[in-house]
Amino acid sequence: MGIAVLTMKASVIEMFLVLLVTGIHSNKEMTKKIKRPKFTVPQINCDVRAGKIINPEFIVKCPAGCQDPRYHVYGTDVYASYSSVCGAAVHSGVLDNSGGKILVRKVAGQSGYKGSYSNGVQSLSLPRWRESFVVSEGKPQKGVTYPSSLTYSSSKSPAAKAGETTKAYQSPSAPGTTAQPVPLMQVLGTTAVEGTHTTLPKPPPSAGSTTSSLRPQPVGQRSQELGEPELWKPGSVLLDAGFVPKKELSTQSLEPVSQGDPSCKVDLSFLIDGSASIGKRRFRIQKQFLADVAQALDIGPAGPLMGVVQYGDNPVTQFNLKTHMNSRDLKTAVEKITQRGGLSNVGRAISFVTKNFFSKSNGNRGSAPNVAVVMVDGWPTDKVEEASRFARESGINIFFITMEGASENEKQYVLEPNFANKAVCRTNGFYSLSVQNWFSLHKTVQPLVKRVCDTDRLACSKTCLNSADIGFIIDGSSSVGTGNFRTVLQFVANLSKEFEISDTDTRIGAMQYTYEQRLEFGFDVYSTKPDVLNAIKRLGYWSGGTSTGAAINYALEQLFKKSKPNKRKLMILITDGRSYDDVRIPAMVAHHEGVITYAIGVAWAAQDELEVIATHPAKDHAFFVDEFDNLYKVVPKVIQNICTEFNSQPRN
């Protein structure tokens, strides 16, 4: 009996063990069948910038060919998020030009990024940027889950994101944890020096308490400036600047609309900084400044007209000169402008304004000086000197307003030192205003308006083609002959065509001489180009001797004594022979009185006499052709020398 019981127990234990082993085996089989999803590394193109990817940490695969200079990189080791991710990886040496996998981690924005040449890639310098990143080999860390697909920021509304500080986007990295932004010093393995950075104080409620500046603050200086207790607040002057409650709109619309201040008739373009580094808060202050300027100017068809161009990576016209004809409408339009973001390409914006903005189709009146006011936060990310020179030569008065310039430790990042003085028409301080901090910008309204409206001092409106009184001294002696005299008149007309002719621009006068002198018409007779050309065409041939010295004296007395004080006085004398009287003393008097003299000799004209008549250096002001039919060849050279001489005037 006992043996049977023991046998039965042994059988039960054996069955239990079999079942246990079978269960374990089954669990193993099930475990094998339930596989974890395989991590897929997302692929990106060479032109994808880190700032477009929201994820704070990710692994990606770069294609081959990202060493191409088209894919811009900003910084060294730590890169601005405006950089190409894959281009930065090649620059850092993590990848070569054949591509591969990399690990990218977002870190804090920097006050400056130093460019360098490394691994076949030339990275660029950049002032400050809201966000940075570092790259390393594409090996996943233990316990961290990386996204198989990337989250991109919306391209529909970049302006809405441009002013925000970098957010700690939450992404699951391990069960029960969330990925946190990595401090830059931690990534680089160094210890941050205490007190080297301060955070921007929260704006007061009137400035919008829910927003903050995206711009990293170096060395605490600018943060303290923005935190100064100022009486003025960006939102506190809306009513004073013309923003009225809806209930009052109906009564205000019945008031007569101003035609503008006639004492300030200028065509004005504001180039406003819409780059990402400026932040939302500063951008609002900038817009309020525009509204205050519009109010102070008294916009209208009989006075100043104003348009706005916003720049970042590329410039765009917000509205042109003829869009808004009063201050009230213009301020409403300014309020609707949204920030575009991007870099601070000021030079590109100035070139755009020169080529596109001041056109007749955009409302340019021609009779009003052209003024461009450029607003710059910090410093430009491209060069401005060449673009500004072209603008000045086109008759545009460039004003620069710079806010919060580079501190000593930031100057290494400035692409073009002393850029404002290189850009403006005169370096005497009239055309440039430096503002210590954004809260002081409103103090610049009246000084700017006063300068913009001081049309007598807008020297850049004067170009080589619109700022002279030109007197033609025409030899009508017998040796010229009727046919050749008509050729001389055509030469005079061809030269005149090159200039902008009006009461306020270049004016043309003419006289003819033999032994005697005759004033054909003075500077104040004809004020349009067609009238001047018709008057030249109608001149009659006189015939007689050749008294060139007496003709110069007559021109000084009858033509140039009636020249306007702010005009350059140009005398263009055409003769075909040696003078019967002395030309040296009359020529010296002309030079002493500031008359720039060009001597054009034909056929039998004496070269030594031409050089005496001409302003020094004679090689630039005396010309000779062997026959009348070749006079037309001299026209381009004369115009070129007139303009070269004008543009070489000192800018102070």
Side-chain angles (χ1 to χ4, degrees):
M1 180 71 177
I3 295 173
V5 171
L6 288 173
T7 304
M8 184 181 296
K9 285 183 178 180
S11 300
V12 171
I13 291 170
E14 185 179 354
M15 289 177 63
F16 175 77
L17 290 173
V18 170
L19 290 172
L20 180 63
V21 171
T22 304
I24 292 171
H25 180 73
S26 299
N27 285 339
K28 286 183 178 180
E29 291 297 322
M30 290 178 66
T31 303
K32 287 182 181 179
K33 291 178 181 178
I34 304 173
K35 294 182 179 179
R36 290 184 180 180
K38 188 178 179 181
F39 169 60
T40 304
V41 178
Q43 296 190 16
I44 61 173
N45 294 327
C46 295
D47 60 353
V48 173
R49 302 174 187 147
K52 288 290 183 183
I53 301 172
I54 290 178
N55 309 81
E57 186 173 347
F58 52 90
I59 294 176
V60 291
K61 185 175 182 181
C62 293
C66 296
Q67 198 179 53
D68 195 301
R70 290 180 299 167
Y71 310 121
H72 295 165
V73 177
Y74 299 88
T76 301
D77 296 328
V78 180
Y79 302 96
S81 63
Y82 198 71
S83 305
S84 157
V85 172
C86 299
V90 176
H91 181 269
S92 67
V94 174
L95 291 183
D96 57 24
N97 201 36
S98 61
K101 290 189 291 186
I102 57 171
L103 171 61
V104 179
R105 280 184 284 178
K106 299 286 188 70
V107 295
Q110 302 297 290
S111 61
Y113 299 84
K114 189 76 173 178
S116 65
Y117 182 82
S118 179
N119 301 307
V121 175
Q122 177 65 60
S123 70
L124 307 173
S125 296
L126 191 68
R128 47 192 171 269
W129 202 250
R130 64 185 183 274
E131 184 183 61
S132 310
F133 69 100
V134 293
V135 292
S136 57
E137 291 183 14
K139 295 179 180 179
Q141 296 183 357
K142 290 183 179 180
V144 180
T145 302
Y146 297 95
S148 294
S149 61
L150 301 176
T151 305
Y152 291 86
S153 60
S154 172
S155 60
K156 294 181 180 179
S157 56
K161 299 181 181 294
E164 299 173 1
T165 49
T166 307
K167 295 181 179 178
Y169 293 98
Q170 300 199 347
S171 174
S173 57
T177 66
T178 56
Q180 299 296 325
V182 184
L184 174 60
M185 294 303 179
Q186 181 180 328
V187 172
L188 297 181
T190 59
T191 303
V193 180
E194 292 183 5
T196 56
H197 286 75
T198 60
T199 56
L200 185 67
K202 290 183 180 180
S206 60
S209 59
T210 59
T211 57
S212 62
S213 169
L214 60 82
R215 194 170 69 176
Q217 300 299 320
V219 201
Q221 177 185 0
R222 296 183 182 171
S223 297
Q224 292 165 7
E225 290 171 353
L226 278 173
E228 289 177 354
E230 293 278 350
L231 295 177
W232 179 81
K233 299 291 189 295
S236 63
V237 292
L238 292 179
L239 291 177
D240 293 337
F243 292 88
V244 296
K246 289 184 178 180
K247 292 180 181 179
E248 298 180 21
L249 286 176
S250 58
T251 57
Q252 180 160 336
S253 63
L254 299 176
E255 296 176 5
V257 178
S258 171
Q259 292 299 301
D261 181 4
S263 66
C264 182
K265 189 177 181 181
V266 295
D267 288 343
L268 175 64
S269 171
F270 263 91
L271 282 71
I272 63 172
D273 191 340
S275 62
S277 64
I278 191 175
K280 285 186 175 181
R281 189 183 185 192
R282 293 176 176 89
F283 192 73
R284 285 200 307 272
I285 296 173
Q286 185 177 217
K287 291 202 301 180
Q288 185 59 53
F289 175 75
L290 291 189
D292 293 344
V293 169
Q295 181 70 27
L297 280 173
D298 187 12
I299 302 297
L305 296 179
M306 178 174 156
V308 174
V309 171
Q310 182 183 171
Y311 68 86
D313 289 339
N314 295 295
V316 64
T317 301
Q318 301 290 161
F319 51 84
N320 62 33
L321 295 167
K322 65 181 182 181
T323 308
H324 304 291
M325 288 293 170
N326 60 72
S327 297
R328 187 178 66 235
D329 292 347
L330 194 144
K331 288 189 295 181
T332 302
V334 166
E335 181 62 23
K336 296 177 181 178
I337 296 174
T338 58
Q339 186 180 0
R340 294 178 61 81
L343 297 176
S344 183
N345 289 331
V346 179
R348 184 177 295 178
I350 294 172
S351 296
F352 173 83
V353 166
T354 303
K355 296 174 183 177
N356 302 292
F357 188 86
F358 291 108
S359 64
K360 189 174 182 180
S361 60
N362 284 334
N364 187 38
R365 290 171 288 186
S367 59
N370 294 158
V371 177
V373 179
V374 185
M375 303 185 70
V376 182
D377 172 51
W379 56 89
T381 51
D382 64 350
K383 293 187 176 182
V384 303
E385 184 175 14
E386 185 64 22
S388 299
R389 183 189 64 78
F390 183 65
R392 294 195 308 269
E393 290 180 358
S394 301
I396 300 173
N397 297 273
I398 302 285
F399 283 81
F400 259 67
I401 302 177
T402 55
M403 279 73 65
E404 301 184 12
S407 60
E408 285 301 320
N409 65 330
E410 290 177 318
K411 287 183 178 178
Q412 59 178 318
Y413 303 118
V414 179
L415 186 64
E416 193 173 30
N418 204 24
F419 64 89
N421 276 343
K422 291 178 180 179
V424 297
C425 182
R426 296 285 185 268
T427 55
N428 57 8
F430 181 79
Y431 288 92
S432 55
L433 299 98
S434 179
V435 182
Q436 187 178 13
N437 64 74
W438 278 88
F439 282 153
S440 300
L441 181 59
H442 68 288
K443 299 175 183 177
T444 312
V445 172
Q446 290 302 328
L448 176 65
V449 168
K450 185 177 180 181
R451 297 181 191 195
V452 164
C453 294
D454 188 358
T455 54
D456 290 336
R457 293 189 65 183
L458 295 181
C460 295
S461 295
K462 301 179 179 69
T463 71
C464 59
L465 302 178
N466 71 1
S467 60
D469 280 344
I470 303 176
F472 287 97
I473 317 303
I474 304 169
D475 184 349
S477 61
S478 302
S479 57
V480 174
T482 303
N484 288 333
F485 186 76
R486 306 317 302 175
T487 304
V488 170
L489 294 185
Q490 186 60 55
F491 170 74
V492 172
N494 289 342
L495 278 173
S496 300
K497 284 178 185 177
E498 298 295 324
F499 293 90
E500 299 170 25
I501 298 172
S502 76
D503 285 334
T504 57
D505 295 313
T506 291
R507 303 187 303 170
I508 304 291
M511 61 159 287
Q512 186 179 171
Y513 74 96
T514 57
Y515 283 129
E516 300 177 282
Q517 305 83 35
R518 181 170 75 194
L519 180 65
E520 301 291 2
F521 54 89
F523 295 132
D524 57 352
V525 177
Y526 302 110
S527 59
T528 68
K529 189 178 293 187
D531 288 346
V532 167
L533 297 178
N534 285 331
I536 293 170
K537 186 178 180 180
R538 291 194 302 267
L539 295 185
Y541 175 49
W542 202 359
S543 187
T546 308
S547 295
T548 306
I552 294 172
N553 284 332
Y554 183 87
L556 295 176
E557 187 67 29
Q558 298 299 319
L559 266 178
F560 290 101
K561 272 200 173 178
K562 298 177 182 178
S563 181
K564 290 184 178 181
N566 62 339
K567 297 290 186 182
R568 295 173 73 229
K569 292 178 278 191
L570 301 180
M571 178 189 296
I572 301 177
L573 185 146
I574 308 104
T575 183
D576 79 328
R578 183 176 291 276
S579 176
Y580 294 167
D581 62 355
D582 182 65
V583 300
R584 286 173 295 180
I585 294 177
M588 287 176 60
V589 173
H591 301 161
H592 180 73
E593 292 185 4
V595 178
I596 301 169
T597 307
Y598 287 82
I600 316 296
V602 188
W604 301 280
Q607 185 68 38
D608 60 329
E609 207 169 69
L610 295 176
E611 292 177 358
V612 169
I613 295 169
T615 294
H616 181 77
K619 65 182 181 63
D620 294 331
H621 298 86
F623 301 89
F624 178 82
V625 293
D626 54 0
E627 55 185 57
F628 286 93
D629 287 343
N630 289 330
L631 272 173
Y632 75 94
K633 296 179 180 179
V634 179
V635 172
K637 189 63 176 174
V638 172
I639 296 297
Q640 179 184 340
N641 287 10
I642 288 174
C643 287
T644 300
E645 188 171 44
F646 177 87
N647 293 329
S648 66
Q649 295 178 105
R651 291 174 46 233
N652 51 42

